[in-house]
Amino acid sequence: MATTTPDGVRAQAEHEGGSGDAPMTHRQIMEALSGLLLGMFAAILSSTIVSNALPEIITDLGGGQSAYTWVVTAALLAMTASTPLWGKLADLVSKKALVQIALVIYIVGSVFAGVAQNSGMLIGARVVQGLGAGGLTALAQIIMAAMISPRERGRYSGYLGATFAVATVGGPLVGGVITDTSWLGWRWCLYVGIPFALFALFVLQKTLHLPESRRKVKVDWAGAFFITAAVSLLLIWVTFADDKYAWLSGQTYAMVGGALALTLVFLFVESRAAEPIIPLRLFRNRTIALASLASLLVGVAMFAGTVFFSQYFQLARDMSPTMSGVATIPMIAGLFVSSTVSGAIITRTGKWKSWLVVGGVLVTAGLGLLGTMRYDTPYWHLALYMGLMGLGVGMMMQNLVLSTQNQVAPHELGAASSVVTFFRSLGGAMGVSALGSVMTTRISHYATDTIGTLSPEEQAAAGKAMGTGQLPDMDALPGPIRTWLESAYGHGIADIFLYVAPIAFLAFLVTLFIKEVPLRTTGALEQAQAQAPGAEKEPALG
């Protein structure tokens, strides 16, 4: 297969001894994307490999449910806040240099995470990891869009989706095996992504050849500061609400008011910045505005599934970290199949909206069914529910980015791509933070509601087990207390999926209003060349 490729990228073919005028073959494109896929694999691996190890990590470091949530949220927060900045820088400077910088940041964060001595240090290191992961996930989409036309990009978006799926299923499995291996231990879960990142650096240097940007760099640092501050304050609120203070309290009013004020300042700064982090004019486009909203809602559903399943299988069903990873394979298999198949069919037909709509239906159905699970629900039921959820997420995640990239001019490709990724990460971070707090409350509610089924002696032991504020060691509990607590965890975690199902339904409703626009047949770099002086300009976005 050959694809339409601009001269700057065709230099790769010439560099390898081919003709510089010949379009890149599928093999040459995959070679150029190989380093990006490796970087993406490392970034996703860093978040999923700890999911099944987290109960043991937090117990070892002496943390509670709040620390459990923040180990995940910290990385998502950094990824969310930094994504618009990475995207804007990609429009201004060398994309290749940026993705290599992101890999270095990720490696540094992984090293510090591996040597963490307490939960606070681990959370700080996860912030650094998240900064690097934000760059890798945003730049992979941007660089691919620069090289490949939207019509042909569906196929390659499928490869990104497949990489996401493999890292997601491989992470928990590898993390579980590492955690269960006595001579390794959970710290190696945080080191294992480093070799992939180092190899990605080497491969990118050899295979990725893009034209150098000559634009004068004007980074909107004020915009970056205010959006980071607004998102951080919002996430701190949803993490501690219903735990350290009530949802309706003075702290809530102060934090939400502060986040809104910072957002207004951000909007004011962006409206006057020469090179805004998020060009506000993008949201005049109906597709971009709706795709961003849908991504926000899908992010809640996607991250809720990957984060809370590990607690369900380990604490409600007494599975080891390894088997907890194996148990989630149906969800990841669904994501893998739907992302690759939808990408291939979109490339062949050019039609993408129906995949978004069907994906919204499947995600909603899967989450609603998962809301009915209990600690003793037959596993084949859970496998079916997880498979539906995975199929839906795979259909929506990459195609929301594709629909946005198809709408913008080349010089706004990075900003537009990062907007969708930003909202997806924001939804995930807010969802994990808020739902983690709600889950703790629901588990406590069900535990209190059913403690009367225990004998007085067992009730005293149960109260002691729940009163430490740390995740319980199920293996150390007597049989009746263990069953009582497993039931509370199973019911409490199921409620989380039940609460998320309406959010997924809203994402489905949003996709109904997205207008299907034919996919372009030229890549962003080729569009930019066509807009050189003397060439016909592409109509401005509006």
Side-chain angles (χ1 to χ4, degrees), residues 65-88:
Q65 182 64 49
S66 178
Y68 185 106
T69 302
W70 265 101
V71 169
V72 177
T73 302
L76 286 175
L77 169 61
M79 184 186 301
T80 301
S82 65
T83 294
L85 182 58
W86 287 111
K88 191 60 192 179

Side-chain angles (χ1 to χ4, degrees), residues 290-291 293-301 356-357 359-361 363-364 396 400 500-514:
L290 293 176
L293 177 58
S295 293
L296 177 75
L297 300 171
V298 170
V300 177
L356 293 179
V357 174
V361 172
V363 172
T364 303
M396 298 186 76
L400 286 169
V500 173
I503 297 176
F505 181 70
L506 287 177
F508 159 72
L509 292 179
V510 170
T511 61
L512 293 177
F513 294 95
I514 296 178

